[in-house]
Amino acid sequence: REVGRWIASLIHYLCTDELTVSIFAEFGAVEFACGLIEMHHQDPLCIAAAASLLAHINCFPLGNAVPLLCNSLNEHHSHELVAHQVAKCLADFTSYYGGNSEWMQKMCTEFVGAKGVPALARIMEEMAEREDTQVFCTRIAANVSSVDAGEFESTSMMRCVNRNLRNFGRTNVPLAAHALYALGNI
């Protein structure tokens, strides 16, 4: 477990450019990170290290990374480091990247299918004062609601997005933009 955390952290540290990321992706970094989460799902530090690594590899095939990360959010919803790192990773996964809208739709659909919306709502409720985590959560809400807005109508997610807009909207422009986009999608 300790070795896995160190390896994931080292790869995360070394992923400084697209070439390095593609080399690590080609040689099994995604499989390693997913395996680390599967084997040590009870260890929050392993999950945080794996999520930090996966956040770099957001345009490569991800296997079962999205369901594993959503399960991690459900399991460790009150752990601040896990919530922050997994939300950051999922925000990258569900985002649109130049000309690849199919990827975004696939990731958002996987997120919804893996029960990510209730997990995200719980994180937004429990980490309401963590502005940095709320930026990522609101970004996920904006991304996913642009693909499947129906998922958000019956959850507390929109209350959380409204609260984030009220609490942080004046001082955090990216969060305000994500919140307005999510609310506009609904």
Side-chain angles (χ1 to χ4, degrees):
R1 175 174 18 192
E2 185 90 16
V3 172
R5 281 193 303 229
W6 279 102
I7 291 171
S9 298
L10 181 63
I11 295 171
H12 162 69
Y13 177 75
L14 294 173
C15 286
T16 56
D17 57 38
E18 290 179 23
L19 177 64
T20 309
V21 170
S22 65
I23 290 170
F24 280 122
E26 187 175 326
F27 288 102
V30 172
E31 292 82 4
F32 172 76
C34 289
L36 187 63
I37 294 172
E38 284 177 337
M39 288 190 304
H40 303 292
H41 62 90
Q42 73 285 357
D43 184 353
L45 294 179
C46 282
I47 293 167
S52 296
L53 167 58
L54 285 169
H56 291 287
I57 306 173
N58 54 2
C59 288
F60 293 90
L62 295 170
N64 63 341
V66 173
L68 286 171
L69 291 169
C70 290
N71 289 340
S72 297
L73 274 183
N74 277 319
E75 197 171 325
H76 299 284
H77 53 86
S78 59
H79 195 280
E80 287 187 16
L81 181 62
V82 170
H84 179 78
Q85 292 298 345
V86 171
K88 179 180 181 197
C89 185
L90 288 169
D92 287 340
F93 286 174
T94 59
S95 292
Y96 176 78
Y97 290 100
N100 198 354
S101 63
E102 293 163 5
W103 175 265
M104 179 184 174
Q105 285 186 312
K106 179 180 181 268
M107 291 295 107
C108 291
T109 303
E110 278 187 36
F111 179 80
V112 170
K115 308 288 187 242
V117 174
L120 189 64
R122 184 180 303 162
I123 296 297
M124 291 177 85
E125 290 285 344
E126 291 185 10
M127 306 286 169
E129 301 304 314
R130 293 279 316 253
E131 183 175 357
D132 52 347
T133 302
Q134 293 301 322
V135 171
F136 297 125
C137 292
T138 307
R139 182 172 152 202
I140 295 168
N143 295 339
V144 176
S145 66
S146 70
V147 173
D148 187 2
E151 243 342 275
F152 291 92
E153 293 172 356
S154 62
T155 67
S156 63
M157 178 77 68
M158 287 301 106
R159 280 195 320 269
C160 295
V161 170
N162 278 324
R163 185 194 62 234
N164 285 345
L165 188 57
R166 266 193 331 270
N167 293 347
F168 307 118
R170 288 190 224 47
T171 59
N172 192 317
V173 174
L175 185 140
H178 297 314
L180 291 172
Y181 188 70
L183 293 171
N185 289 332
I186 301 300

